[in-house]
Amino acid sequence: MAAETLLPSAAPVRFVAEDGRRADRNGGYGEPAGDRLKEAYRLMVLGRRFDVQATALTKQGRLAVYPSSAGQEACQVVAALALEERDWLFPTYRDSVALVARGLKPGEVLTLLRGDAHCGYNPVETRVAPQCTPLATQTLHAAGLAHAMQRRGEDAVALALIGDGATSEGDFHEALNFAAVFKAPVVFFVQNNRFAISVPFEKQSAAEALAYKGVGYGMRSEQVDGNDAVAVLAVLDDAVKHAREGRGPVLVEAHTYRIDAHTNADDATRYRDAEEVAKWREADPLKRLETYLKSRESLTSEEIERFAADAEVFAQSVRDTLNAEPELDPLSLFDHVYAAPTRQLEAQRATLEAELEA
């Protein structure tokens, strides 16, 4: 395959400018249908309210930690919308909104961040892997599972969500190389939010854009304005289609920004100034999509109000779920360590059970 066919667009693909007006930089991609864009808007409203509520719950001691994805709603929601039910999503700890958009219940999503269990949902039933905290390990899982589905003849794709910091990890490069060699049906979706905790992008990589990292592995690559939901959906739709048709993996980089701190335990004012954050607030993905859809008469004021009201009801359900004390079984610690428990594990389980009964 000629290297020219692998290169990303010279500038990030964009359909909608910061002010909500049409931008002429679509990279040859077709615009998604209006009903899908309206659904993206609805889920972005829901996702932002969820994110605000989860952040508040950390201050109330109901969550141990919460990594906000405020400002990244377009990436989060579209990652879920671009997939079919049969496809797999591989999220990181910052991708709770993507899981909500995928249809998981808030109590299931926040179990990890509450500290109750490593995962609060059934990955096989939901086709969502456990949220990954170690950087880039989910890329290997996605590549391996995609290859396995390919060998079984399944018509399914895996999409791995990645932060910019994870692209500096060896696992990321091993996953890209493996996926490209075996043409695994996987999409690597990098949300470049400009900071790996406190390390700015320019101190992480000398590459002009992270999308170029895929070219060296013989992988088709693209970059997109991550705050333009229309562009992100157009690019991810095409990437998923490319992978599903057996033409190999795709690396997509979304240029976005993390509005809030790394987590509630982080003080972002120590490494970035308020003017930078204010500038990116002007590129708000939610307001941008709302303005665009209203200008095209694809979204009414009544729908905006209804979606906001529905989000408030959802936020109440989140509060109700997290304010209830969890019912935990200590013996469940041993349930998913091995497919078939070892004798040592059985002995440890028996010891704990005896202690609990004493």
Side-chain angles (χ1 to χ4, degrees), residues 114-316:
R114 192 179 193 180
D116 296 339
H118 290 301
C119 185
Y121 49 88
N122 186 323
V124 176
E125 291 180 358
T126 59
R127 308 288 265 192
V128 177
Q131 287 181 273
C132 190
T133 301
L135 295 187
T137 56
Q138 79 280 6
T139 59
L140 291 170
H141 305 158
L145 184 137
H147 182 51
M149 293 191 297
Q150 180 186 55
R151 289 177 61 87
R152 291 197 297 257
E154 295 184 23
D155 180 23
V157 172
L159 187 148
L161 289 163
I162 312 161
D164 46 292
T167 66
S168 300
E169 297 289 325
D171 285 356
F172 170 78
H173 296 276
E174 292 171 12
L176 262 62
N177 189 59
F178 178 93
V181 168
F182 291 100
K183 290 191 174 182
V186 57
V187 175
F188 299 99
F189 185 36
V190 180
Q191 298 175 82
N192 182 356
N193 64 17
R194 314 305 299 175
F195 287 93
I197 307 182
S198 61
V199 182
F201 173 69
E202 57 269 19
K203 292 186 178 181
Q204 297 178 56
S205 175
E208 183 176 345
L210 294 172
Y212 288 98
K213 292 182 181 290
V215 179
Y217 294 103
M219 182 182 301
R220 183 186 161 202
S221 305
E222 187 57 280
Q223 57 177 330
V224 62
D225 182 339
N227 285 22
D228 176 3
V230 182
V232 177
L233 186 55
V235 169
L236 280 189
D237 274 350
D238 188 76
V240 169
K241 180 175 182 288
H242 181 97
R244 195 184 306 280
E245 291 176 349
R247 292 187 284 159
V250 183
L251 174 65
V252 176
E253 176 191 11
H255 297 268
T256 184
Y257 193 79
R258 189 192 77 215
I259 293 296
D260 288 341
H262 175 66
T263 69
N264 54 293
D266 174 42
D267 180 7
T269 62
R270 298 178 63 184
Y271 54 83
R272 64 184 189 185
D273 57 49
E275 290 184 3
E276 177 180 313
V277 178
K279 172 189 171 184
W280 278 94
R281 285 189 185 278
E282 293 299 314
D284 178 16
L286 184 55
K287 187 63 178 177
R288 188 190 300 197
L289 182 58
E290 179 182 306
T291 302
Y292 180 68
L293 292 178
K294 286 177 67 177
S295 71
R296 295 172 63 85
E297 298 184 349
S298 299
L299 183 68
T300 66
S301 298
E302 291 75 17
E303 288 173 323
I304 293 172
E305 292 178 3
R306 185 172 78 250
F307 295 157
D310 290 345
E312 288 301 324
V313 173
F314 185 73
Q316 181 63 58

